[in-house]
Amino acid sequence: MRITLATAILMLAAGSCAAQDKMAEAIRKGIVEEDTNHNLSAAIEDYQSVVAQYDGERQAAATALFRLAECYRKLGKNDQATAAYKRVVQEFADQTKLAEQSRSHLPKAPAAANSGR
């Protein structure tokens, strides 16, 4: 049985929606614990689970963007590769390994001219 591209995309979208629903539910639960039940420890646990999920999503997004840049580079599409590497560095600096690897592929900035000294 072959999975078509459309089926694969639908499966990824459904998984993404489920993850977003899970995050929204954890936030709602945290608010109830915080405001209604006055159980701050439980609220903290709920909020921390959302932060952990968000961090995982950032890592996945940064990885995908880096891999996209690599594909462009291998195809010789240097402008697109550079743009994707720059996005990793600018938008995902917290993903240090990927940001460093991306930075190594960016053109080096020209040395500042001596200011007349």
Side-chain angles (χ1 to χ4, degrees), residues 9 37 42 45 47 58 73 78 80 84 87 95 108 112:
I9 291 171
N37 299 339
E45 287 179 23
Y47 297 145
R58 284 190 58 74
R73 181 182 60 80
N78 296 328
Q80 292 96 328
R87 280 192 64 194
Q95 304 299 315
K108 304 293 182 230

Side-chain angles (χ1 to χ4, degrees), residues 2-3 8 26 29 33-34 37 45 54-55 61 65-66 80 84 92-93 95-96 99-100 106 111-113 116:
R2 289 178 103 178
I3 296 179
K29 187 176 168 197
E33 290 295 346
E34 179 183 1
N37 299 339
E45 287 179 23
Y54 174 77
D55 286 345
L65 189 55
F66 177 79
Q80 292 96 328
F92 299 98
Q95 304 299 315
T96 54
E100 288 172 16
L106 292 175

Side-chain angles (χ1 to χ4, degrees), residues 38-95:
H38 304 289
N39 185 346
L40 299 180
S41 295
I44 288 169
E45 287 179 23
D46 291 328
Y47 297 145
Q48 286 176 333
S49 75
V50 172
V51 171
Q53 289 176 50
Y54 174 77
D55 286 345
E57 300 248 344
R58 284 190 58 74
Q59 182 179 13
T63 299
L65 189 55
F66 177 79
R67 299 307 318 159
L68 176 68
E70 288 287 281
C71 289
Y72 282 138
R73 181 182 60 80
K74 291 173 185 176
L75 286 171
K77 296 183 176 187
N78 296 328
D79 291 342
Q80 292 96 328
T82 297
Y85 288 130
K86 282 182 181 178
R87 280 192 64 194
V88 173
V89 170
Q90 294 169 351
E91 297 174 28
F92 299 98
D94 59 312
Q95 304 299 315

